[in-house]
């Protein structure tokens, strides 16, 4: 593997980038291009007519044709989403690039080639991926023309370098293939490719940066007379952008030759790839040279290779696309995803480093970099850079696990988890270089990120706050996710009409839209739609996000299609694709889901695979726990009541199960007034010895029970149930009832808050009595802390705050407040939407009201005990075997002591 990564790594380093450790600001040329893009989204192609340079080849076309030519290249403005991407430093004053996503989900990369005329920026040309990159120099270096004899060696060297690079690519591809099967032969091939690469690299260096092309204005003018027109393809471009039907069943009436003919065939291939017409795509691509000077040819070759599960071939094709240029960060990001899909983890990290060196303005690059930080200082620096570029919701950061050392234990942390509202700030440079925003456009700024809504189009400018108009709205850190969810839900109807095939996931923009739509549907309990949306995916598909399979498995389970869900997970477990990716995180999630289906042996095997990739004590713990689950399934006695199936150690008499059954049935009846579940489905209850529970499941005395679809309690040897013991039973039973009442859709904080509130103990902790205001978690971060934190103090605080929030809801809205939230979650309301519906205000305002109430309510909460199940009023413990009983006291740090195995990728809590 190390040799294979080294081969690909060397190719990636060959392209000759100008390094920069800092985020590069938007250049004046790029600022002008953003203005052009905004005008185009507002007024269409007519907005750019007077922006064309005098020597632009577009001016050589007949005047009525020019607007048609512009729209054909840029695509229709309606519904398009444009985003400025970062070009290499050599081009920052000569060009700007935009990644465009059309309503159909197909994508385009557009290049504005720019020149200054009379003190203003003008458009020298508009180029798209389907056009060849090789062309005469655009912007000349002021140097005398050399005599012809001096050109001959230079041209020969160029040819040699080009052919050497081709040979090197082919040798590298062979080396990547052979490395899996014949290690020695693969290494020999690698050595040969390395020698050729060194020679090609030397020649490439003699001719300068391949991607920093320059030329004279005269040469542009000379080529203008032969400028090919793409305008005959306008109706094809419009249909391509709109989608919804096969826009080109044949090419009748379309140009068959020249540039327009090539573009038409490539657009057809792009559509065919989405329709999984792989043979047609391959025939089209085979008609172009290999490697090709047309970037779209190589990008489509890479995507086709991924569909065919050939990641090594995809990597080589992406590198060819990068070599063709022009260089921009969006293509490196797409290649990084291909590297990860193929198991080239180390090379993916190097690609990420390269994105930073080029000065990428994409915030996700720096968040990813922060997640790889090895020290608190490095984390601080990288996270601050990402946060300043574009803050994200605090719950996302908490869930990512990157904040513990930075936020909770430092007084000077720049991210506050206690503030009732999401952070809302703008870069100090905001509006210093404002563009003219079209009338009616909505301008939003967060950090250094600018977003413009222009009619039905969207324009995003990472690092572009300086370009915002004066008075642009500063929005909260979670605004972008809200907008993305809104757009994702708008996409649902079209996606469900024709569920996307596996090839659709090869296009980054479309893959993101599909994934966001699936997540938005899941958040709203629309599981039938999740199933339909993902009907065409298969675990054999190379580039379908693993998280989508987990969402589909959960959706199938929610639809009572348990066998289908189980079969999907088993297929995924046997997929060589997942194994090759060496993704320990996904393997852990898969093992958890298999465990939830009682596939114990399979779950253990997957955990063992994850342990070989990235050893962790967590794997050992879970393997031991699952082994105990097997024992519970095979070696325990069973006692059934109308609503519970109790499994208990076979060395104990049945009196324990009978007494516990009486408590469970009694508490089920009592809790119906809190958590109405009229059609309660029977639940399995596992009873284990305290010593086994503590050593195998929890490793702690602070955890006294858990619910993960079954209730597990360390009550072996107990026959008389004192209220403090009953409280443990009630707590876990409440989880089971909430899960059934809401179709398992309630957030974790609500689970924990209600489960503590209904437990029969004399006192409950009050968060306002225990924590200073700056350490009191905001409601919006409670769920990620409870799901993701490994810090017991943070978890304990989240338990207490959750229970205190339930007290506030009870005080402000009465008992019906809890029932209203239950109904909202059952109806598909998200965690925060349900609160907003209850309170009639935003979550931030609800949080502020909670704080205000708490300042006057600092007493410990007192409870009455409505029911007693013990015979004498005193706790009686019997220990025939198995050591001590569980502590009879309430564990304040865990709010009554409930434990959830870590949740990953949609596994049941």
């Amino acid at each position: 593997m190390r040799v294979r990564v080294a081969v690909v790594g060397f190719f990636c380093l060959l392209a000759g980038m100008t390094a920069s450790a800092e985020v590069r600001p938007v250049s004046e040329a790029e600022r002008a291009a953003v203005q052009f893009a905004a005008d185009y989204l507002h007024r269409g192609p007519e907005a750019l007519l007077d922006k064309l340079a005098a020597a632009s080849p577009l001016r050589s076309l007949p005047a009525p044709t020019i607007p048609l030519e512009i729209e054909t290249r840029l695509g229709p403005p309606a519904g398009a989403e444009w985003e400025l991407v970062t070009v290499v430093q050599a081009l920052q004053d000569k060009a700007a690039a935009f990644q465009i996503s059309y309503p159909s989900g197909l994508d385009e990369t557009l290049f504005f080639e720019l020149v200054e005329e009379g003190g203003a920026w003008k458009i020298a040309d508009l180029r798209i991926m389907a056009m060849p990159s090789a062309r005469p120099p655009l912007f000349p270096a002021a140097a005398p023309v050399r005599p012809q004899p001096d050109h001959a060696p230079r041209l020969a060297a160029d040819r040699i370098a080009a052919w050497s690079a081709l040979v090197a690519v082919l040798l590298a591809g062979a080396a990547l293939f052979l490395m899996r099967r014949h290690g020695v032969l693969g290494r020999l091939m690698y050595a040969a490719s390395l020698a050729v690469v060194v020679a090609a690299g030397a020649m490439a260096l003699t001719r300068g940066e391949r991607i920093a092309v320059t030329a004279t204005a005269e040469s542009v003018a000379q080529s203008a007379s032969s400028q090919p027109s793409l305008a005959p393809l306008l109706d094809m471009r419009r249909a391509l952008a709109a989608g919804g039907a096969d826009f080109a069943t044949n090419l009748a009436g379309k140009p068959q030759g020249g540039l327009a003919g090539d573009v038409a065939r490539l657009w057809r291939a792009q559509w065919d790839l989405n329709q999984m017409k792989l043979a047609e795509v391959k025939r089209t691509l085979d008609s172009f040279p290999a490697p090709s000077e047309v970037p779209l040819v190589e990008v489509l070759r890479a995507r086709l290779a991924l569909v065919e599960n050939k990641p090594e071939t995809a990597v080589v094709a992406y590198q060819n696309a990068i070599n063709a240029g022009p260089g921009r960060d969006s293509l490196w990001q797409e290649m990084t995803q291909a590297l990860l899909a193929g198991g080239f983890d180390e090379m993916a990290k190097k690609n990420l480093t390269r994105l930073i060196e080029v000065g990428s303005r994409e915030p996700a690059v720096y968040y990813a970099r922060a997640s790889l930080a090895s020290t608190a200082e490095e984390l601080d620096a990288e996270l601050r850079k990402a946060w300043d570029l574009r803050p994200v919701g605090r719950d996302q950061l908490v869930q990512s696990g990157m904040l513990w050392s930075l936020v909770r234990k430092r007084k000077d942390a720049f991210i506050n988890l206690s503030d009732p509202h999401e952070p809302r700030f703008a870069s100090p440079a905001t509006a210093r270089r404002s563009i003219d925003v079209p009338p009616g456009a909505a301008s939003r700024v967060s950090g250094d990120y600018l977003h413009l809504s222009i009619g039905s189009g969207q324009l995003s400018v990472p690092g572009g706050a300086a370009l915002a108009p004066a008075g642009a709205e500063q929005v909260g850190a979670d605004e972008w996710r809200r907008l993305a969810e809104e757009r994702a839900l708008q996409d649902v109807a079209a996606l469900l009409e024709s569920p996307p095939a596996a090839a659709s996931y090869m296009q980054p923009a479309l893959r993101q839209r599909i994934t966001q739509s699936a997540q938005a549907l899941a958040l709203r309990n629309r599981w039938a739609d999740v199933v339909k949306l993902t009907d065409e995916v298969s675990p054999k598909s190379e580039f379908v996000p693993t998280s989508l399979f987990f969402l589909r498995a959960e959706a199938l389970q929610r639809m009572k299609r348990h066998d289908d869900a189980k079969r999907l997970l088993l297929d995924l477990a046997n997929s060589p694709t997942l194994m090759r990716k060496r993704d320990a995180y996904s393997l852990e999630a898969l093992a958890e889901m298999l465990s939830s289906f009682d596939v114990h042996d399979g779950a253990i095997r997957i955990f063992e695979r994850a342990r070989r990739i990235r050893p962790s004590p967590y794997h050992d713990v879970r393997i031991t726990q699952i082994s105990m689950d097997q024992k519970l399934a095979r070696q325990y006695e069973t006692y059934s009541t109308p609503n519970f199936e109790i499994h208990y150690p076979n060395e104990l008499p049945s009196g324990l199960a009978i007494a516990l059954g009486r408590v469970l049935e009694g508490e089920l009846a009592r809790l119906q007034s809190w958590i109405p579940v009229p059609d309660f489905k029977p639940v399995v209850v596992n009873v284990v010895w305290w010593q086994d529970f503590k050593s195998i499941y929890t490793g702690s005395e602070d955890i006294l029970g858990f619910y993960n679809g079954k209730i597990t309690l360390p009550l072996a040897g107990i026959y008389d149930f004192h209220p403090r013991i009953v409280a443990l039973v009630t707590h876990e039973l409440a989880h089971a009832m909430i899960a059934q009442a809401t179709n398992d859709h309630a957030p974790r904080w609500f689970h924990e808050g209600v489960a503590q509130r209904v437990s029969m103990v004399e006192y409950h902790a009050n968060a306002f009595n225990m924590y200073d205001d700056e350490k009191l978690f905001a409601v919006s971060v409670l769920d990620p802390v409870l799901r993701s934190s490994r810090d017991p103090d943070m978890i304990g605080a989240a338990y207490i705050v959750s229970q205190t929030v339930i007290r506030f809801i009870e005080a402000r809205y009465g008992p019906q407040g809890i029932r209203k939230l239950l109904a909202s979650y059952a109806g598909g309301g998200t965690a925060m939407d349900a609160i907003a519906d209850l309170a009639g205000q935003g979550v931030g305002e609800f949080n502020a009201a909670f704080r205000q109430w708490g300042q006057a309510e600092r007493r410990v909460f007192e409870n009455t005990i409505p029911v007693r199940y013990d015979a004498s009023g005193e706790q009686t413990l019997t220990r025939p075997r198995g050591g001590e009983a569980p502590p009879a006291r309430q564990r304040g740090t865990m709010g009554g002591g409930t434990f959830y195995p870590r949740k990953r990728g949609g596994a049941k809590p």
Side-chain angles (χ1 to χ4, degrees), residues 420-422 842-849:
H421 301 276
E422 286 296 317
V843 175
E845 289 71 25
F846 172 86
N847 213 332

Side-chain angles (χ1 to χ4, degrees), residues 686-744:
N686 292 321
V687 178
V688 299
W689 293 101
W690 166 245
Q691 194 60 41
D692 289 341
F693 184 87
K694 182 173 64 172
S695 62
I696 295 175
Y697 282 107
T698 69
S700 168
E701 290 193 354
D702 291 331
I703 300 168
L704 305 179
F706 65 85
Y707 170 77
N708 63 348
K710 303 182 183 80
I711 294 172
T712 300
L713 295 164
L715 300 182
I718 294 179
Y719 293 90
D720 204 11
F721 287 81
H722 184 275
R724 291 188 179 275
I725 297 296
V726 172
L728 307 183
V729 178
T730 305
H731 192 107
E732 307 313 328
L733 173 58
H735 285 307
M737 295 177 69
I738 293 170
Q740 292 196 24
T742 65
N743 195 21
D744 210 1

Side-chain angles (χ1 to χ4, degrees), residues 718 720-725 868 870 872-877 885-889:
I718 294 179
D720 204 11
F721 287 81
H722 184 275
R724 291 188 179 275
I725 297 296
R868 296 197 67 127
D870 52 329
S872 62
E874 297 294 333
Q875 184 181 22
T876 303
L877 301 178
R889 63 189 182 282

Side-chain angles (χ1 to χ4, degrees), residues 723-724 727 756 759-764 862-865 890:
R724 291 188 179 275
Q756 291 174 88
S759 299
M760 293 191 299
V761 293
E762 295 179 85
Y763 301 99
H764 276 134
E862 297 185 33
N863 304 309
T864 57
I865 306 298
Q890 179 192 13

Side-chain angles (χ1 to χ4, degrees), residues 405-628:
S405 61
L406 182 64
V407 173
R408 190 63 179 172
K409 298 178 181 179
R410 288 180 47 178
K411 293 183 178 179
D412 61 341
F414 60 91
I415 301 174
N416 187 336
L417 298 184
S418 301
D419 194 306
H421 301 276
E422 286 296 317
R424 189 185 299 261
F425 69 95
S427 165
T430 298
R432 289 183 181 175
R433 302 161 59 203
S434 296
I435 63 170
D436 294 327
V437 174
S443 306
R444 300 179 179 90
V445 175
S446 183
D448 203 17
Y449 187 84
L450 170 65
H451 181 271
L452 302 174
S453 295
I454 304 172
S456 62
Q458 311 288 326
L459 175 58
S460 300
V461 189
L467 279 54
E473 180 187 5
Q474 292 186 23
V475 298
D478 58 343
E479 177 70 4
W480 314 118
R481 181 175 55 189
R482 186 188 66 79
L483 291 173
E485 279 190 11
E486 284 182 0
R487 290 197 293 271
L489 290 172
Q490 291 170 2
D491 287 340
V492 164
L495 290 171
L496 291 179
E497 182 179 347
S498 179
S504 301
Y505 296 87
M506 302 308 107
Q507 299 183 76
L510 186 53
R511 179 176 64 248
Q512 183 178 22
R513 287 173 62 179
I514 296 168
T515 304
Q516 287 177 339
S517 294
Q519 292 169 341
L521 290 170
L523 281 173
R524 288 155 179 81
N525 231 7
R526 292 173 59 179
W527 299 108
D529 288 338
V530 173
V531 170
K532 185 175 181 180
L533 180 65
T534 57
D535 267 342
E536 301 299 318
V537 302
S538 162
K540 296 179 182 179
S541 302
E542 188 76 52
F543 216 52
V544 176
T546 307
S547 61
L548 207 63
F549 292 118
F550 296 145
L551 266 182
R552 177 171 174 80
E554 184 173 4
L556 289 168
Q557 189 176 12
R558 300 294 186 97
M559 298 298 294
K560 311 303 181 188
R561 293 171 56 182
H562 300 289
D563 290 343
D564 290 338
K566 185 176 177 180
R567 190 178 306 112
L568 172 64
L569 293 172
L570 290 173
D571 288 345
L572 189 60
N574 294 319
S575 165
T577 301
L578 182 60
M579 296 307 107
R580 185 173 61 250
K581 290 178 182 179
R582 296 181 60 79
D583 182 355
Y585 183 95
S586 294
L587 289 173
E588 291 170 8
L590 175 59
E592 292 290 7
M593 295 198 78
L594 288 170
S595 175
S596 74
F597 280 92
D598 293 331
V599 184
H600 300 120
D601 290 334
I604 290 172
R605 283 197 301 271
I606 298 298
F607 268 124
E608 288 172 343
R609 288 177 182 174
R611 183 168 57 184
R612 288 194 293 270
I613 295 170
R614 190 191 63 197
S616 167
Y618 172 71
H619 302 141
D620 298 328
V621 170
R622 287 299 289 135
I623 288 171
T624 304
Q625 291 171 351
I626 294 168
S627 298
M628 172 60 81

